[in-house]
Amino acid sequence: MNLISTLFRMMHRLLISIVWISIIAVSIGEIAVTANDTTITPSISAVTKAIDRSAGYFLRNTRDDGMFEYRINTDPTVTVKKRYNILRHGGTIYAMTMHYEYFPDEAMLSAIKRAGKYLRDEAIGPLASDENLLAVWSKPQVNRSSKFLEAKLGGAGLGLVALTSLEKFQPGFTPRNDLIMLGNFILFMQKEDGSFYSKYIPAAGGFQKNWHSLYYPGEAALGLLMLYELDRSEQWAESAVKTLTYLANSRKNILNVPADHWALLATEKLLSLENAEQLPIEKELLVTHAAQICEAILRAQIHHHECPEYIGGFTSNGRTTPTSTRLEGLLAARSILPADHALQNKIDAAVEIGVDFLLRAQITEGEYTGAFPMAVSKLKGDSTRVEKFNRRVTEVRIDYVQHALSALIQYLETIK
């Protein structure tokens, strides 16, 4: 009986041990799951290295004539269409000036000036109907996507963003009157209610009433506000206020507003002006609009996916640029929203896993170091749509790199 009792006690202790081991294992598992779901802040070192890589990509891909290698494909078997987009040219200059501001470098400044000279000398020209207006022209022989010469609202907006950014380091690079006439073109395109015509095509009768861009108004407002910082004519600020007020009113009480990151960047610029309190701003309206955009962006972020590389992104197909632009918007919103706003912590968490997504997506070695592909992986399936998408997965375009670089520099500001 003593032997049986002893064996029973030993088995009892063993069972207790197994139970405790199981509890500990479950606890460890829960901690592991929690750790996987917990945001790990990307380090300053990792972000800085990624920024340097993308800056290097632009240095290698700014040609002597100031144009960029607009589009390449890292898969040599894919044929690349020879097109160009002058709006994205302007946006890229903006990102490069952001980099130069934080990491001054003569090679970068030289590349910026070449790109700026191309924009200034080759893309900007007058309207035949009004000598006081200058537009950024999308030329069919350059962009190869239209048979008409077009002046786009977003071209003037991003043209101003690029050239006023360059003025910080090279005052007088663009004649002040030319910048003013670009601003005049934006005012020319604006309607009384604050909305805009998106295109002006002389050969098609001028204003194009049936085509509208989501992003052009925000780009135009940001360009006007950056012009206002140089030329204190109130008309620039008033037009930008009118633009952002129109956007906010048009989206009131709408749940799924578009992810208009340019509107957020312009709103941040407006509210940060030294004399913002003296301008006719409905601040509560603009803050509410910013929160609406942020909420829509946050709802779309990928937290769980069968493809782990998609986590942190904002699209179900792993595209990189939508993540970059949404991060730009969210990071701008941090200073728009009150410090105690309920979205602030959500934004911070979303930004961190979003930045982690970008760091994982960047090409870190070889000929294309610093580039960002269109998407992080191919889609499954054999439909025509999937095949078309998969041919472009390895595509790199200047705006893919530009938006990622801008987002990473904005993020670096928040963690330094």
Side-chain angles (χ1 to χ4, degrees), residues 202-213:
F207 296 125
Q208 300 302 292
K209 299 179 181 180
N210 298 321
W211 189 86
H212 301 282
S213 167

Side-chain angles (χ1 to χ4, degrees), residues 36 38-43 46-47 301 308-313 323 327 349-362 372 376 408 411:
N36 287 335
T38 297
T39 301
I40 300 174
T41 304
S43 70
V47 175
Q301 191 167 39
E309 62 268 32
Y310 286 19
I311 293 173
T323 294
L327 289 174
V351 164
E352 290 187 338
I353 62 171
V355 168
D356 186 60
F357 169 91
L358 288 183
L359 296 182
R360 289 184 278 110
Q362 188 183 47
F372 287 83
V376 293
L408 291 173
Y411 178 69

Side-chain angles (χ1 to χ4, degrees), residues 144-351:
R144 303 186 187 186
S145 61
S146 171
K147 62 182 179 180
F148 293 123
L149 182 68
E150 300 179 328
K152 299 177 181 178
L153 173 69
L158 290 177
L160 278 175
V161 167
L163 294 174
T164 56
S165 295
L166 187 45
E167 287 295 305
K168 296 177 185 178
F169 316 114
Q170 292 289 303
F173 182 87
T174 305
R176 178 67 59 86
N177 198 51
D178 286 2
L179 297 174
I180 288 171
M181 288 193 286
L182 276 174
N184 287 341
F185 176 77
I186 293 176
L187 301 187
F188 170 70
M189 297 288 279
Q190 189 166 38
K191 301 176 187 178
E192 186 60 34
D193 64 359
S195 64
F196 288 96
Y197 297 104
S198 289
K199 289 183 181 181
Y200 185 87
I201 305 178
F207 296 125
Q208 300 302 292
K209 299 179 181 180
N210 298 321
W211 189 86
H212 301 282
S213 167
L214 166 62
Y215 298 122
Y216 289 1
E219 292 166 348
L222 181 60
L224 287 173
L225 290 167
M226 294 177 74
L227 175 59
Y228 179 66
E229 290 181 311
L230 286 177
D231 177 80
R232 302 300 281 191
S233 175
E234 291 184 0
Q235 63 181 335
W236 314 130
E238 289 172 355
S239 177
V241 170
K242 194 174 177 181
T243 301
L244 296 171
T245 301
Y246 171 82
L247 291 175
N249 280 322
S250 68
R251 294 166 180 169
K252 266 186 179 179
N253 303 317
I254 296 176
L255 180 62
N256 289 313
V257 298
D260 190 351
H261 66 286
W262 285 112
L264 291 174
L265 289 166
T267 302
E268 178 192 32
K269 174 64 73 175
L270 174 63
L271 297 181
S272 69
L273 293 174
E274 290 181 2
N275 64 331
E277 297 297 329
Q278 300 167 19
L279 297 172
I281 301 171
E282 295 181 59
K283 185 174 180 180
E284 185 176 346
L285 175 69
L286 298 187
V287 170
T288 299
H289 179 225
Q292 277 183 284
I293 298 174
C294 291
E295 286 170 350
I297 290 173
L298 293 170
R299 281 194 296 271
Q301 191 167 39
I302 306 298
H303 293 277
H304 307 282
H305 200 281
E306 61 180 4
C307 299
E309 62 268 32
Y310 286 19
I311 293 173
F314 289 88
T315 65
S316 60
N317 56 10
R319 290 173 60 211
T320 58
T321 303
T323 294
S324 299
T325 57
R326 284 154 177 76
L327 289 174
E328 288 178 273
L330 291 174
L331 285 160
R334 294 178 79 255
S335 63
I336 297 170
L337 303 175
D340 59 352
H341 196 283
L343 287 178
Q344 288 285 13
N345 289 338
K346 293 179 181 179
I347 288 172
D348 288 346
V351 164

